[in-house]
Amino acid sequence: MDMYMFSSSSSCSHSEDQRTARLMSSGSLRKLLAGWNEVCQLAERMERSQLEVLDLQHNHLTELPHNLFIKAQSLRYLNVSANKLENLPAASLSDDSSSRLEELYVTNNSLSDKCVPLLTGHGNLRVLHIAYNQLQTFTARVPTLF
């Protein structure tokens, strides 16, 4: 399975969250387009994930799994704009490994300055959209990514 698209639903439901979890753990799924739905949370368990593209914009996410970038090692594109995120997960557990993430869209969330240092683990990052958040400063270490 290369791609899966969700259809809109009317309310934030447990069944939709379970469906998303099953799809994200699929060993063959490469692209998941689930924007403009009512997804409230993602499962922590993402074994065998081969996802390269994950689009969850305009949902109701308040957090991302703490191991998202560790388990989804093939992830190159992530769009979680227009959710309710206050923080981002770390890119890796150590300085030796880094994510393959190239494009990150986190516009229009509630991210604060504490998430900025977490971006340094994304050494392949080429595009970062982080407008319309709660940032007050941007550390000097981040531009070394580009």
Side-chain angles (χ1 to χ4, degrees):
M1 180 184 307
D2 289 332
M3 182 173 76
Y4 187 87
M5 294 179 65
F6 272 65
S7 60
S8 294
S9 65
S10 59
S11 66
C12 192
S13 70
H14 182 65
S15 63
E16 181 136 334
D17 293 342
Q18 288 179 327
R19 181 170 50 169
T20 306
R22 284 192 308 272
L23 287 169
M24 290 180 68
S25 293
S26 168
S28 60
L29 186 67
R30 300 286 186 257
K31 183 184 285 189
L32 177 58
L33 306 176
W36 297 89
N37 280 285
E38 303 288 331
V39 178
C40 297
Q41 68 181 37
L42 300 177
E44 293 285 332
R45 190 172 157 262
M46 295 181 53
E47 304 305 320
R48 303 179 325 271
S49 176
Q50 295 298 314
L51 276 176
E52 296 175 7
V53 174
L54 180 56
D55 188 329
L56 292 163
Q57 64 181 305
H58 293 273
N59 277 288
H60 297 284
L61 295 171
T62 56
E63 64 182 359
L64 296 174
H66 74 280
N67 60 359
L68 176 66
F69 299 117
I70 298 163
K71 293 292 185 179
Q73 294 179 351
S74 298
L75 194 62
R76 294 180 296 112
Y77 174 99
L78 176 62
N79 188 344
V80 288
S81 294
N83 277 284
K84 301 171 184 177
L85 299 174
E86 295 181 7
N87 208 346
L88 296 172
S92 66
L93 292 175
S94 68
D95 293 336
D96 297 336
S97 62
S98 66
S99 75
R100 293 184 183 170
L101 195 66
E102 296 175 6
E103 297 183 44
L104 178 59
Y105 299 86
V106 291
T107 301
N108 197 19
N109 278 287
S110 296
L111 299 175
S112 66
D113 296 347
K114 66 182 178 181
C115 76
V116 175
L118 298 172
L119 298 172
T120 60
H122 298 290
N124 296 314
L125 200 61
R126 295 180 299 119
V127 176
L128 173 62
H129 282 244
I130 196 166
Y132 300 105
N133 279 286
Q134 305 299 317
L135 300 176
Q136 295 181 7
T137 61
F138 210 74
T139 61
R141 289 177 28 182
V142 175
T144 61
L145 294 173
F146 304 104

